Amino acid sequence: MKKPNQIRAKKHLSQNFLTDENIINKIIQCFDLREDDHVVEIGPGYGSMTFPIIEIIGSIDVIEVDKDLVNYLNENDDQELVNVIQADALNYDYSMLRKKKPMRLIGNLPYHISTPILFHLLGFSECFQDFHVMVQKEVADRMVSTHGNKTYGRLSVAIQSRCKASKVFDIKPSAFHPRPKVISSIVKLEPKTSLGNEVHSKLDEIVKIAFNQRRKKIRNSLKEIFSPQKLSDCGIDPNFRAENLSVEDYITLSKVGG
Ligand code: SAH
C-alpha cells in the first residue's frame, strides 16, 4: 500500500491527508461509534479514517470525487467493506443511502468548499443522527458562534437553527501531509427537530438580508419585511443590528413570517 506522503496531493481538491496516528485515533474516539452504526464519509482520501473505522463497524459508504483515490480505495479493500461512491459531495443526494437507522456523517471536508457542502448537508438533516466535520478553525468558530460576537453570522444561524453545534477540538497543521496553512477543528452537529421547510426558507431569506447589511439597524435592513412595531411585538429591539439577534430571535421572526 502506498503511503500518502509518497503520493502527490491535488491542491485544487484541497487534499491534505491526515498522517498522525495519534490524532487519527483521537478523532475516531470522538465519533463514539457503535458496531451497528451506518457511517457515511465525505472525502476519504487514502482512507486514513476509513480503514480504522471499518475495523469497528464493518462497513462504510464513502463519497470521493477523485478517480485516482476511488481506484486506490477499491484496490486496497480486499474484503469489499468500503462502498466507494465516485461523486461530488456538493450535490450528492444523501437520502439515497438511507436505510432503517439515521446515518452518521463524518468528513475531513475539502476546505475550499466546506461552507457550501455544509449548507447542502443541512438539507438532509433528517437523514442523519449527527455530523462530525473537520473544517478550518476559522469556519468552525463561525459555525458555533453566538450573538454579540464578531464571528457570528449567516453560517452560525443557518447551522444552529437546525442543529446543536459544538466544537470538539483543534488539530495542528503538522498532523497532515501536505500541511495546510491553517489550524483545523472538528465540529459536532446534532440535528434538532425540523421547523419545516417554509420556516427554514423564510429564515434563510431574513438572515441573508440582515447580514448582508450587518452594520445597519434591523429596522432599516429588514424594513421590507417587518415594521419596527412588528419587531417590537416579537420582543426584538428594532435598533438592534443583525449580530445582536439570537438564533431564537431569527426563528421567532421566521415563524411570524413578515
Ligand atoms: N479524509 C482524508 C482526506 C481529506 S482531504 C484524510 O483526512 O486523510 C479532502 C478529501 O476530499 C480528498 O480526498 C479530496 O479528493 C476530497 N474531495 C475534494 N472535493 C470533493 C468533492 N467535491 N466531493 C467529494 N470529495 C471531495
Side-chain angles (χ1 to χ4, degrees):
M1 217 195 258
K2 268 201 246 178
K3 280 262 161 57
N5 52 10
Q6 294 170 261
I7 296 164
R8 214 176 232 186
K10 293 176 185 148
K11 228 178 177 173
H12 71 284
L13 292 176
S14 297
Q15 291 179 350
N16 300 100
F17 303 108
L18 272 168
T19 47
D20 183 326
E21 295 285 337
N22 291 328
I23 299 291
I24 294 169
N25 288 337
K26 188 172 166 190
I27 295 173
I28 289 170
Q29 261 174 23
C30 89
F31 298 149
D32 192 20
L33 293 166
R34 311 278 135 118
E35 248 174 81
D36 62 342
D37 279 345
H38 177 186
V39 174
V40 179
E41 182 182 9
I42 291 179
Y46 289 96
S48 57
M49 299 199 286
T50 320
F51 290 111
I53 288 174
I54 54 174
E55 279 179 27
I56 307 171
I57 60 167
S59 66
I60 188 167
D61 293 326
V62 302
I63 317 286
E64 174 58 66
V65 81
D66 184 346
K67 196 160 189 302
D68 294 336
L69 293 174
V70 168
N71 291 340
Y72 174 91
L73 290 167
N74 283 327
E75 280 162 18
N76 287 285
D77 173 32
D78 307 332
Q79 296 180 69
E80 301 188 2
L81 303 175
V82 184
N83 174 28
V84 189
I85 301 158
Q86 188 183 356
D88 183 345
L90 262 181
N91 53 32
Y92 186 72
D93 177 1
Y94 296 87
S95 66
M96 294 202 312
L97 298 173
R98 196 178 194 166
K99 289 180 193 145
K100 276 183 219 122
K101 275 183 70 173
M103 303 179 281
R104 303 192 64 191
L105 186 125
I106 62 160
N108 172 0
L109 299 184
Y111 288 177
H112 67 299
I113 48 170
S114 57
T115 306
I117 291 181
L118 284 168
F119 273 101
H120 180 62
L121 283 174
L122 288 177
F124 296 94
S125 294
E126 280 162 51
C127 303
F128 288 97
Q129 176 187 325
D130 57 12
F131 305 87
H132 282 89
V133 288
M134 198 196 297
V135 292
Q136 308 181 33
K137 181 177 179 297
E138 179 259 323
V139 175
D141 289 341
R142 289 197 279 127
M143 290 168 73
V144 302
S145 187
T146 49
H147 62 291
N149 291 299
K150 237 197 256 161
T151 46
Y152 183 67
R154 229 183 118 190
L155 185 64
S156 328
V157 184
I159 299 255
Q160 294 168 42
S161 58
R162 292 167 171 93
C163 304
K164 183 170 167 249
S166 53
K167 197 158 109 170
V168 189
F169 55 85
D170 293 336
I171 301 165
K172 286 191 210 139
S174 58
F176 302 86
H177 180 88
R179 293 182 183 198
K181 292 197 179 72
V182 291
I183 296 175
S184 306
S185 309
I186 297 202
V187 179
K188 178 179 184 181
L189 302 175
E190 293 165 279
K192 300 179 191 167
T193 312
S194 171
L195 302 168
N197 287 344
E198 212 174 303
V199 174
H200 277 301
S201 54
K202 193 76 202 171
L203 185 131
D204 290 339
E205 181 197 334
I206 295 169
V207 171
K208 189 172 175 187
I209 298 172
F211 281 100
N212 268 345
Q213 310 172 63
R214 65 184 290 151
R215 297 308 313 149
K216 279 196 184 171
K217 292 176 178 168
I218 50 162
R219 65 185 310 141
N220 295 318
S221 59
L222 294 180
K223 68 170 185 274
E224 306 289 334
I225 316 178
F226 300 103
S227 65
Q229 184 59 50
K230 202 152 190 190
L231 292 169
S232 300
D233 291 348
C234 292
I236 298 166
D237 185 341
N239 293 317
F240 271 3
R241 295 185 165 82
E243 67 194 38
N244 304 120
L245 273 67
S246 68
V247 174
E248 281 311 314
D249 289 335
Y250 281 109
I251 292 174
T252 303
L253 290 178
S254 313
K255 284 181 177 163
V256 169

